[in-house]
Amino acid sequence: MLITGGPLYPKYWEKVVADFTAKTGIKVKYDLLEFTPLTTKVVTLGAARSNLYDVFSTHTAQIDSFFNYFAPLNEYFTEDELKDFYQVGVDYLVNPKTKGLAAIPRNMDARTQYYRSDVYAEHGLKAAVTWEDLVDVSQKLTGNGYYGLVVPGQGDPAQRTFSDLLWQAGGDWVDDAGKPSFNAAPGIEALTYYRDLIQKWKVVPPDAVSYQWNENSTQFSSGAVMDTFDWPGAFSTLSNPETSKVVGKWSTAPYVRNKTAISCAISHAMALNSMSKKKDAAVEFIKYTVSPEAQLLNFNDYSNFPSRLSVAKQVVSEASGAKAEWLAQLEQTIATGKEWPKLPGFSRVCTLMFSTIERALSNQQSPEDALNQASAEALQIMTQAGAYN
């Protein structure tokens, strides 16, 4: 198995694999990689038709890159079983051409706002609700080596952050004909705001243009910044003295909004290598990792939100206090969340956007020029990939 995850994931997989082996006698060996290098490695292994790994941890973000490499899971899950998973999680994992289920959601991923409630209280501030609020509050908390906000600025994390801002500005990645539209006025507004957080208002660490998820999370957990937007696993990481210096000093709030309150609603998922020589054992393990038992462990010990509706209902009903408030915020993000289109060639467009956003954030190119250039290249990529046949 090839998998990814945050700082607490090694303990999680050690526990899941040990429990699975104890129940079945099947032994599982695995390698851990961070998200971006993992995605690159899966594409390389898939293109090489490698059977080195039987199971992949994957993600809705780049799933269309893997449709040709993953074996469909439809025959292994009944319709009733699939109805117990969040529809938004399943839909984006289905190959639109073959209708094959390329992967099964392991946990839902959506972001909420994490802020230093102790510092906010000292300054008589409340968590930001709008883009304007975020700038105002962050400016008041920036100084003396501290910053009011942190955002990632590189690779996939930058593309997802831009996605949120694009949707919140009222835009979208493509128009009704499937042609790139992210360079329209809402996209320019979104990328300009994103850049200005770093370059104009200077409320974000200046080297944020080099941050991915781990650096983004570490800046907040170390106490260097006062606000961030992070995934469910952060709730557990920030509550653990081994991984956080701000235990008991933070609270959560909804993601900020502009014209809308839309953010990414995506999922980590488990996939079967179509070249695997051990499909029966691999499928048995995949089914265990998405079982209610494993999902409860994943939530209770690591705060990763369940992909099964029945398990989600259970953890929400049992929560109280700050955790209950956070889960309500998270459920709202999932309910209104979106994903980028699964059109031919769009995974390459996502990769193209990594450098596009980085150029704008680092003032190498204006947001408008960067997006216009990327839109022209994206249209060419998607045309060649057959998106408009």
Side-chain angles (χ1 to χ4, degrees):
M1 177 172 62
L2 181 63
I3 52 178
T4 188
L8 297 179
Y9 260 73
K11 293 181 179 179
Y12 170 72
W13 286 113
E14 184 178 343
K15 171 68 173 169
V16 168
V17 165
D19 289 350
F20 175 74
T21 300
K23 291 177 182 294
T24 65
I26 299 171
K27 296 181 180 179
V28 182
K29 291 188 285 187
Y30 58 90
D31 291 328
L32 274 161
L33 280 178
E34 289 189 16
F35 181 82
T36 299
L38 177 135
T39 299
T40 301
K41 187 168 183 175
V42 174
V43 170
T44 302
L45 292 171
R49 313 302 290 170
S50 170
N51 64 0
L52 179 62
Y53 297 98
D54 302 289
V55 174
F56 292 114
S57 168
T58 187
H59 197 281
T60 51
Q62 299 288 335
I63 192 66
D64 53 323
S65 298
F66 311 137
F67 283 145
N68 294 331
Y69 311 145
F70 294 165
L73 294 175
N74 307 64
E75 64 183 281
Y76 304 111
F77 292 89
T78 68
E79 287 189 19
D80 284 342
E81 283 180 303
L82 290 178
K83 287 178 181 177
D84 191 34
F85 290 85
Y86 274 94
Q87 197 64 44
V88 69
V90 172
D91 284 349
Y92 286 117
L93 294 168
V94 172
N95 185 332
K97 288 187 176 180
T98 67
K99 306 305 178 185
L101 180 63
I104 189 76
R106 186 180 78 244
N107 59 272
M108 294 302 298
D109 237 3
R111 280 180 287 168
T112 54
Q113 185 175 180
Y114 293 80
Y115 69 100
R116 285 288 301 277
S117 50
D118 61 334
V119 176
Y120 275 52
E122 289 175 11
H123 289 78
L125 300 172
K126 293 182 179 180
V129 175
T130 66
W131 284 13
E132 292 78 10
D133 292 342
L134 187 62
V135 174
D136 180 57
V137 171
S138 299
Q139 286 179 320
K140 291 174 180 176
L141 297 177
T142 296
N144 300 316
Y146 295 94
Y147 289 88
L149 178 69
V150 63
V151 291
Q154 190 180 81
D156 175 83
Q159 194 241 349
R160 289 198 222 175
T161 301
F162 171 69
S163 291
D164 294 341
L165 298 173
L166 171 66
W167 293 321
Q168 289 164 16
D172 211 340
W173 281 101
V174 296
D175 60 20
D176 292 341
K179 302 292 179 66
S181 62
F182 56 82
N183 62 321
I188 297 169
E189 178 186 1
L191 190 52
T192 300
Y193 177 81
Y194 192 1
R195 178 204 62 188
D196 287 351
L197 289 171
I198 302 170
Q199 303 292 351
K200 178 181 178 180
W201 298 307
K202 301 185 185 299
V203 296
V204 173
D207 58 345
V209 292
S210 67
Y211 290 177
Q212 296 211 24
W213 296 127
N214 285 353
E215 293 86 354
N216 188 73
S217 300
T218 299
Q219 285 290 318
F220 186 81
S221 64
S222 70
V225 301
M226 305 301 144
D227 193 295
T228 190
F229 301 92
D230 214 333
W231 305 99
F235 197 95
S236 180
T237 303
L238 292 171
S239 302
N240 187 337
E242 294 181 10
T243 53
S244 172
K245 295 181 179 179
V246 296
V247 175
K249 299 178 180 180
W250 54 271
S251 298
T252 63
Y255 207 122
V256 292
R257 60 175 296 134
N258 187 25
K259 294 179 179 68
T260 71
I262 300 171
S263 179
C264 296
I266 45 192
S267 63
H268 284 276
M270 303 299 287
L272 174 65
N273 185 354
S274 62
M275 303 305 293
S276 170
K277 303 296 185 183
K278 305 171 184 176
K279 284 190 173 68
D280 289 344
V283 168
E284 193 168 350
F285 180 69
I286 289 172
K287 290 177 77 74
Y288 181 74
T289 64
V290 299
S291 67
E293 178 182 355
Q295 292 204 356
L296 280 173
L297 170 68
N298 203 358
F299 177 78
N300 290 332
D301 288 10
Y302 307 100
S303 69
N304 287 307
F305 194 72
S307 60
R308 284 184 178 268
L309 293 166
S310 57
V311 182
K313 183 178 180 180
Q314 178 181 340
V315 300
V316 168
S317 67
E318 293 174 352
S320 60
K323 179 168 281 191
E325 292 181 16
W326 165 64
L327 287 174
Q329 296 155 5
L330 192 57
E331 284 191 302
Q332 182 60 31
T333 306
I334 294 171
T336 59
K338 294 183 69 172
E339 242 277 38
W340 31 99
K342 302 305 174 191
L343 294 170
F346 200 81
S347 60
R348 288 179 58 200
V349 175
C350 290
T351 304
L352 166 70
M353 292 304 297
F354 298 172
S355 57
T356 298
I357 295 166
E358 289 165 21
R359 288 197 304 274
L361 296 186
S362 58
N363 267 341
Q364 298 177 59
Q365 201 171 12
S366 73
E368 183 173 5
D369 287 347
L371 291 175
N372 284 337
Q373 178 181 329
S375 177
E377 293 181 39
L379 181 61
Q380 184 177 18
I381 290 169
M382 295 170 69
T383 300
Q384 291 175 346
Y388 311 116
N389 292 342

